[in-house]
Amino acid sequence: MKEYPSTHIRNVAVVGHGGSGKTSLVDALAFVAGSSKRHGRIKDGSSLTDYSPDEIERGYSISLALAYAEWDGVKVNLFDTPGYLDFAGDALAGVWAADASLIVLGASAGVETGTEKVWEYSRTCEHEAIFFVSMMDKEHADFAKVYQQIRERLTPKAIPVEIPIGAGPDFKGIVNLITKTAHLYKAGTKTGEYDELPIPKEVQAEYEKYENDLIETVASTDDALVERYLEGKEISHDELVTAMRAAMKRRELFPVFCGAAELTYGARALLSEIVELVPSPADNPPAHAEKWGTAEKLELKEADDAPFSALVFKTVSEPHVGDVSLFRIYSGMVKNGQEVFNPARSAAEKLNHLSISQGKDKIEVDVLHAGDVGVIAKLRDTHSNDTLATQAVPVVLPRIPFPEPIIHVAVEAKERGDEEKINLGLAKLTEEDPTFHWEYNPDVRQTWIYGLGERHLEVILGRLARKFSVHATMAKPKIPYRETIKGKAEGQGRHKKQTGGRGQFGDCWIRMLPMPRGGGYVFEDQIVGGSIPSKFIPAVDRGIQEAAVRGILAGYPVVDYKVQLFDGSYHTVDSNEMSFKLAGILAFRNVSPNCKPVLLEPLSDLEVMTPEEYLGAVMGDLNSRRGQILGSEPGEKQLKLKAVVPEAELYKYATQLHSLTQGRGTFRKKFKGYAEMPGEAAAKVIEEYQKTKKEKEEEG
Ligand SMILES: Nc1nc2c(ncn2[C@@H]2O[C@H](COP(=O)(O)OP(=O)(O)O)[C@@H](O)[C@H]2O)c(=O)[nH]1
Ligand SMILES: [Mg+2]
């Protein structure tokens, strides 16, 4: 493997909606460059970057994967990312760790939800973006339409640099507006070879229009050029490219290219454009880092002579290898076998078998320079989003702001007794996937897993099975209802038992009153004249709390109430703590049903983003989920609808919203608090509880 200095590296994240042709494009780029020896294909499971068993089985990308193409003496690192929102964390990680986004669109599908999402990511990371309209050979391919959609839904600053010759089955080449030449593909070419020709007559008119647009757009980003343009003077190829590079850097211009990746059409031209237009790491401004454990800020030059720093942007577990860390060097260089330091975990790590990745193949290298991307297996204490640095300069880099999980389900062990193993496995999996969380919910005695979508959680359970050999299934999460009281009542709890020798005796009188929501539990000792000796009073309190855990109506913990202990009696010989605790339990059971008990349910604040045309459907659906709509406001491109919805009604909401909005709606959810449950819904929960209770009793 050749050694590539920072100036000869390009880092490009290949992003876009699922099925837009990203993985096929990465394959084509690596293959036509000769860096990958065979042209892998999605169809037969041989693709370069979709190599995990999960991906081959499903036929789409799940994990961020790396490949490279060597072109014109430059190594183009390609980050193939998944398109489905369930795996958006990996798309963000790819965009974050690269220097430019190559946004792939299908020529018939155009801009889709996933395209909007990755566009947002490229904006977050403030780096260059290039559009590639692929699948020009497909039925209904329409370059002009897709370009129009990019302008309307993403950015008016997009501008074609290539246009197709023909479309669908007639797609045969591309015209490059900068070089003013046409590439006509040799039918049946396996490596994207073409004849370079003058502009064919059939696209002459179109060419003139697009070329004019391009020059005008580029010129308008540069004061000196625009003057010359208006005077009608010629603008040279080099001037155009220099101005384009500068405008792309400021995100004032986004070039559009086209082709058909699966046929390798357009792959060679695209590589040349990437090498020419995308900045090398050496062009980047310094990385901002912080000295570990201090507030001291450091600026690290992306150069070999700066202290070493790298971010682990992804951890994957690979069969036969174990955990593999993908990292991007932000400053300094690193040698095979070198010891580095993970400051946040105070761990020294040895970079044995330092490698780069061509899909599943790992190619060992002696050295990696500033800005390059590497892989390393079996780091001991390093996880996704950790920084690797040196003992001498222990810095941490900014962390990737991974999206928060939006859905949760319960998991159940397929085999009894596996619960502990499942929880251990889940804990390990959160280390490799920051968009995945888990917790044990003691209220409902279930393990909950949180993720970005159902597919995401299915994949997690698949990994659990493969990596930890435990099998779990998804179940509906139980709702942690609560109970409370709305009225005031008083009464007695009296425990008396006479068994031969020493008996048991405890007797108390309590009053129960409601507290405001969130007010918690309050116990007031109002005993005067020692009707209960003070040493037994805490026992009454404990008894009440113990009884309250088991509820009044449906077995859920009772919250937000006050108990006043105002009278009682005792026996000098038979009274003890246990008796008074039992008296407390009895008092609670006697009095609480007379205090107008009600069920409380958790509510969530919901923010739904939807295109306006689906607003009616989304609101109707929320109404049927007992949602309270607070209003809607215009967002940047979509409407933002705010509502408060009971958690019990939000099971599988992500799937429903997806189908209501043709995949374009998204939502965020936050726990709001507890509120009284309406009678009808509450009655169902109580009925359910009575039913299971009866079943249990019958079982004995
Ligand atoms: N006709 C045609 N099909 C393509 C092209 N590129 C990809 N495909 C097919 O489209 C599907 C999705 O491609 P893939 O590369 O997995 O898309 P990704 O999800 O964006 O990575 C696969 O079945 C590919 O075989 C293309 O240029 N032309
Ligand atoms: Mg893919």
Side-chain angles (χ1 to χ4, degrees):
M1 186 72 208
K2 231 182 103 180
E3 216 177 291
Y4 288 92
S6 312
T7 47
H8 289 61
I9 294 168
R10 304 289 183 273
N11 291 313
V12 179
V14 183
V15 293
H17 192 77
S20 56
K22 299 176 293 295
T23 300
S24 304
L25 180 60
V26 168
D27 250 301
L29 295 175
F31 181 64
V32 303
S35 304
S36 158
K37 294 302 165 229
R38 59 186 290 232
H39 189 189
R41 294 181 192 268
I42 298 287
K43 291 190 174 75
D44 56 16
S46 68
S47 86
L48 191 58
T49 44
D50 278 3
Y51 56 82
S52 75
D54 264 347
E55 294 175 312
I56 293 171
E57 184 190 315
R58 288 163 211 249
Y60 56 79
S61 315
I62 290 168
S63 264
L64 175 57
L66 296 171
Y68 64 88
E70 295 161 283
W71 194 253
D72 286 347
V74 167
K75 182 170 70 145
V76 179
N77 289 323
L78 298 161
F79 302 59
D80 184 24
T81 63
Y84 293 104
L85 294 183
D86 288 60
F87 311 106
D90 273 22
L92 177 62
V95 174
W96 185 273
D99 297 313
S101 295
L102 173 55
I103 301 177
V104 184
L105 302 102
S108 44
V111 173
E112 300 171 83
T113 338
T115 332
E116 290 174 319
K117 190 86 205 170
V118 297
W119 173 250
E120 202 183 292
Y121 288 164
S122 102
R123 195 162 45 188
T124 308
C125 299
E126 293 179 335
H127 65 206
E128 266 105 305
I130 289 175
F131 293 101
F132 185 75
V133 180
S134 193
M135 305 196 192
M136 273 307 303
D137 62 315
K138 251 184 119 168
E139 211 65 61
H140 309 297
D142 187 343
F143 179 78
K145 188 191 81 185
V146 177
Y147 171 46
Q148 198 52 36
Q149 286 178 356
I150 295 173
R151 290 178 61 97
E152 279 166 12
R153 282 174 59 183
L154 306 177
T155 170
K157 293 172 182 160
I159 186 80
V161 171
E162 284 171 3
I163 56 168
I165 306 170
D170 296 329
F171 176 60
K172 51 181 173 286
I174 53 174
V175 170
N176 187 304
L177 306 172
I178 300 183
T179 59
K180 304 181 200 299
T181 54
H183 293 177
L184 280 188
Y185 291 100
K186 294 186 172 156
T189 173
K190 293 205 168 59
T191 52
E193 280 142 352
Y194 51 82
D195 291 318
E196 195 165 305
L197 301 167
I199 312 298
K201 286 228 163 39
E202 59 175 300
V203 289
Q204 181 65 33
E206 237 179 311
Y207 164 72
E208 280 169 19
K209 179 190 147 307
Y210 276 112
E211 193 218 21
N212 207 31
D213 283 356
L214 174 67
I215 294 178
E216 190 176 308
T217 308
V218 178
S220 70
T221 64
D222 183 301
D223 289 344
L225 277 192
V226 77
E227 219 164 283
R228 304 237 327 268
Y229 173 76
L230 292 174
E231 288 164 9
K233 288 191 182 136
E234 180 85 5
I235 293 171
S236 75
H237 170 268
D238 286 356
E239 284 175 317
L240 204 63
V241 170
T242 308
M244 267 181 80
R245 283 177 59 110
M248 283 171 65
K249 204 163 206 138
R250 300 193 303 266
R251 286 181 65 83
E252 283 173 20
L253 190 138
F254 305 97
V256 184
F257 302 95
C258 62
E262 206 167 45
L263 306 177
T264 65
Y265 288 11
R268 287 164 175 266
L270 184 62
L271 280 171
S272 299
E273 300 291 357
I274 289 172
V275 169
E276 187 157 49
L277 294 174
V278 171
S280 82
D283 300 326
N284 283 340
H288 293 275
E290 215 166 75
K291 218 164 192 172
W292 172 248
T294 71
E296 190 187 333
K297 304 259 187 276
L298 284 179
E299 288 204 336
L300 296 168
K301 259 190 317 151
E302 199 143 347
D304 287 350
D305 58 2
F308 172 73
S309 73
L311 183 74
V312 174
F313 56 90
K314 170 82 190 165
T315 315
V316 271
S317 64
E318 300 204 342
H320 317 301
V321 185
D323 284 346
V324 176
S325 308
L326 280 48
F327 62 92
R328 151 85 195 241
I329 303 177
Y330 282 91
S331 61
M333 56 188 285
V334 72
K335 293 198 173 81
N336 192 6
Q338 187 177 325
E339 191 174 285
V340 296
F341 185 62
N342 179 338
R345 301 187 198 268
S346 262
E349 297 274 18
K350 201 144 192 207
L351 302 186
N352 285 329
H353 305 291
L354 182 71
S355 301
I356 60 168
S357 178
Q358 183 68 300
K360 67 168 176 288
D361 295 331
K362 306 290 174 271
I363 299 140
E364 220 170 296
V365 292
D366 296 331
V367 56
L368 287 175
H369 294 273
D372 214 340
V373 178
V375 296
I376 195 89
K378 300 197 170 80
L379 292 183
R380 271 178 311 159
D381 291 314
T382 300
H383 305 297
S384 292
N385 235 347
D386 281 359
T387 298
L388 294 174
T390 54
Q391 293 263 15
V393 190
V395 291
V396 284
L397 292 158
R399 293 164 66 81
I400 306 170
F402 282 107
E404 287 294 318
I406 50 174
I407 73 158
H408 75 276
V409 301
V411 289
E412 285 170 0
K414 262 199 185 136
E415 275 175 44
R416 269 205 168 161
D418 268 353
E419 288 77 8
E420 192 62 21
K421 257 168 100 183
I422 287 178
N423 291 354
L424 279 173
L426 294 175
K428 284 300 244 181
L429 290 174
T430 54
E431 290 172 354
E432 67 178 65
D433 181 353
T435 62
F436 167 67
H437 299 188
W438 79 283
E439 68 174 0
Y440 176 75
N441 186 310
D443 282 350
V444 294
R445 293 191 204 93
Q446 277 183 324
T447 293
W448 283 358
I449 55 176
Y450 295 76
L452 295 177
E454 269 167 60
R455 277 193 240 221
H456 180 202
L457 297 179
E458 274 167 22
V459 166
I460 290 281
L461 293 190
R463 275 186 204 148
L464 189 69
R466 249 199 325 275
K467 231 177 135 169
F468 302 96
S469 313
V470 273
H471 297 272
T473 50
M474 290 193 207
K476 192 171 173 173
K478 290 184 192 149
I479 304 296
Y481 294 108
R482 299 271 187 272
E483 302 183 12
T484 193
I485 53 171
K486 288 173 80 182
K488 182 172 131 179
E490 55 184 59
Q492 186 185 22
R494 188 164 186 271
H495 172 72
K496 184 170 183 204
K497 206 166 179 185
Q498 211 66 56
T499 44
R502 195 172 149 179
Q504 297 175 14
F505 184 83
D507 171 30
C508 65
W509 282 82
I510 64 166
R511 190 176 301 116
M512 286 181 67
L513 312 91
M515 288 283 286
R517 196 63 50 250
Y521 163 70
V522 174
F523 179 82
E524 275 176 14
D525 170 14
Q526 297 184 343
I527 296 291
V528 281
S531 57
I532 300 177
S534 56
K535 63 177 177 186
F536 295 140
I537 287 172
V540 177
D541 183 3
R542 277 204 303 281
I544 287 164
Q545 291 195 53
E546 198 177 298
V549 170
R550 286 185 224 122
I552 310 165
L553 295 168
Y556 294 98
V558 182
V559 297
D560 302 343
Y561 65 104
K562 182 192 275 188
V563 169
Q564 295 169 339
L565 174 64
F566 64 90
D567 204 358
S569 61
Y570 71 103
H571 191 283
T572 36
V573 179
D574 292 347
S575 281
N576 56 21
E577 280 189 29
M578 179 51 81
S579 305
F580 272 99
K581 187 174 145 190
L582 288 168
I585 292 174
L586 291 172
F588 182 90
R589 288 195 192 148
N590 285 341
V591 179
S592 62
N594 304 327
C595 298
K596 302 202 182 99
V598 289
L599 274 188
L600 297 175
E601 63 176 343
L603 299 182
S604 286
D605 271 322
L606 201 67
E607 245 181 48
V608 185
M609 304 292 296
T610 172
E612 192 162 3
E613 64 230 72
Y614 307 115
L615 185 64
V618 171
M619 290 204 332
D621 175 60
L622 287 177
N623 277 326
S624 75
R625 293 172 188 269
R626 297 193 282 121
Q628 184 199 351
I629 305 220
L630 303 177
S632 66
E633 54 188 75
E636 204 161 318
K637 291 218 169 66
Q638 301 194 329
L639 281 177
K640 191 197 278 178
L641 184 70
K642 289 188 171 173
V644 177
V645 190
E647 188 55 42
E649 305 287 338
L650 283 173
Y651 186 53
K652 300 214 165 171
Y653 183 63
T655 313
Q656 176 69 1
L657 183 66
H658 190 89
S659 71
L660 282 176
T661 61
Q662 311 232 351
R664 292 178 61 193
T666 52
F667 73 99
R668 269 204 298 260
K669 181 178 98 165
K670 220 172 90 196
F671 173 67
K672 181 180 168 63
Y674 278 90
E676 185 182 339
M677 207 171 175
E680 211 175 302
K684 270 192 212 148
V685 176
I686 295 168
E687 193 185 314
E688 187 66 24
Y689 168 75
Q690 301 291 3
K691 214 175 86 191
T692 29
K693 195 172 152 193
K694 211 167 132 208
E695 279 167 10
K696 271 196 194 138
E697 280 167 5
E698 278 166 9
E699 272 173 29

